């Protein structure tokens, strides 16, 4: 049975808790966050940890999480998932009660030309430069205290990436994928060509 994080004394929160799935309370916590981190690696690649914002994450149920990946300077996550499909998502409370939440699981990449793209993309508000959807199967959920995480106040979203993608337009974004997003920093293929067919 998941621990009620709002009512448990501090000494309970100081110890890590493990679960097989996301509870309603943890889902609510995720939905309140403005920032999360994605971690991936192959067996011999560099480890990639990437911060994600915008309104780009959806919890479908206690065992399935989607996040919409927009165009950026790199495409490490997609390259890693082609080789090794493990993924970790991490959330941290920067306001209110301290908490760190990690979701461990296996993920798959959904590209524009995949059969599921249109159905899943409708779950998100459209974002310019949308590149892939990652579909994470939850295998382990871990909470920890988060008492060393500093307090920050949310001041709003940055709009520069959206503005950049809108200025490039669809043709410019596809050209950028071709020039900048085809390989990871370790030379692994990202399969971005599936978006270019």
């Amino acid at each position: 049975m998941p621990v009620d994080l709002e009512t448990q004394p501090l000494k309970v929160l100081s110890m890590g808790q493990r679960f097989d799935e996301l509870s309603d309370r943890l889902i609510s916590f995720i939905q309140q966050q403005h920032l999360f981190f994605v971690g991936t690696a192959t067996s011999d690649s560099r480890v990639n940890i990437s911060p994600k914002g915008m309104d780009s994450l959806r919890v479908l149920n206690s065992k399935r999480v989607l996040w919409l990946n927009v165009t950026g300077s790199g495409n490490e996550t997609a390259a890693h998932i082609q080789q090794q499909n493990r993924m970790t998502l991490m959330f941290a409370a920067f306001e209110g009660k301290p908490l760190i939440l990690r979701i461990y699981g296996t993920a798959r990449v959904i590209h524009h030309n995949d059969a599921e793209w249109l159905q899943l993309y409708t779950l998100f508000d459209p974002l310019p430069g949308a590149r892939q959807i990652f579909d994470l199967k939850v295998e382990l959920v871990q909470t920890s205290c988060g008492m060393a995480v500093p307090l920050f106040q949310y001041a709003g979203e940055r709009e520069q990436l959206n503005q950049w993608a809108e200025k490039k337009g669809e043709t410019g974004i596809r050209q950028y994928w071709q020039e900048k997003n085809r390989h990871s920093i370790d030379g692994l293929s990202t399969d971005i060509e599936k978006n270019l067919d």
Side-chain angles (χ1 to χ4, degrees):
M1 179 69 73
V3 173
D4 185 334
L5 299 172
E6 293 293 330
T7 61
Q8 291 301 309
L10 196 59
K11 65 181 181 179
V12 173
L13 289 180
S14 68
M15 300 174 63
Q17 302 287 318
R18 295 182 181 181
F19 313 103
D20 294 329
E21 61 186 5
L22 292 163
S23 67
D24 289 344
R25 185 167 297 279
L26 292 178
I27 292 172
S28 177
F29 170 76
I30 290 170
Q31 291 169 341
Q32 295 171 39
Q33 304 312 303
H34 302 286
L35 171 69
F36 64 99
F37 298 86
V38 178
T40 57
T42 70
S43 60
D44 58 358
S45 71
R46 291 170 176 84
V47 176
N48 187 64
I49 303 168
S50 185
K52 301 296 176 184
M54 303 178 172
D55 183 23
S56 61
L57 187 132
R58 297 289 182 269
V59 180
L60 296 191
N61 56 52
S62 64
K63 299 286 284 184
R64 189 179 179 196
V65 177
L66 300 178
W67 66 274
L68 178 64
N69 190 27
V70 297
T71 302
S73 56
N75 201 6
E76 299 299 301
T77 305
H80 291 168
I81 294 301
Q82 311 299 327
Q83 303 283 322
Q84 174 62 262
N85 66 350
R86 62 187 176 181
M87 177 183 285
T88 301
L89 302 183
M90 187 184 80
F91 305 82
F94 297 107
E95 299 176 312
K97 293 179 183 284
L99 176 66
I100 296 172
L101 169 63
R102 293 179 179 88
I103 303 173
Y104 301 92
T106 53
R108 61 193 182 99
V109 188
I110 299 164
H111 294 91
H112 288 216
N113 291 323
D114 291 335
E116 294 172 87
W117 173 266
L118 286 178
Q119 176 191 1
L120 296 178
Y121 187 59
T122 61
L123 299 175
F124 300 89
D125 291 333
L127 288 173
R131 187 170 57 185
Q132 299 112 346
I133 295 172
F134 289 90
D135 187 348
L136 177 68
K137 177 184 176 184
V138 176
E139 296 175 345
L140 175 66
V141 176
Q142 182 186 49
T143 61
S144 54
C145 69
M147 291 185 287
V149 174
L151 292 167
F152 288 98
Q153 288 188 334
Y154 175 70
E157 296 288 335
R158 289 189 170 107
E159 293 298 328
Q160 290 95 326
L161 188 59
N162 284 339
Q163 292 165 357
W164 171 85
E166 287 171 350
K167 185 176 179 180
K168 278 202 167 290
E170 184 175 344
T171 300
I173 287 292
R174 288 175 175 271
Q175 183 178 350
Y176 187 88
W177 289 341
Q178 186 75 271
E179 294 174 357
K180 303 286 189 180
N181 284 174
R182 294 177 63 208
H183 296 95
S184 74
I185 56 177
D186 295 307
L188 302 174
S189 172
T190 66
D191 273 358
I192 195 67
E193 289 84 359
K194 290 183 178 179
N195 283 354
L196 301 170
D197 296 337

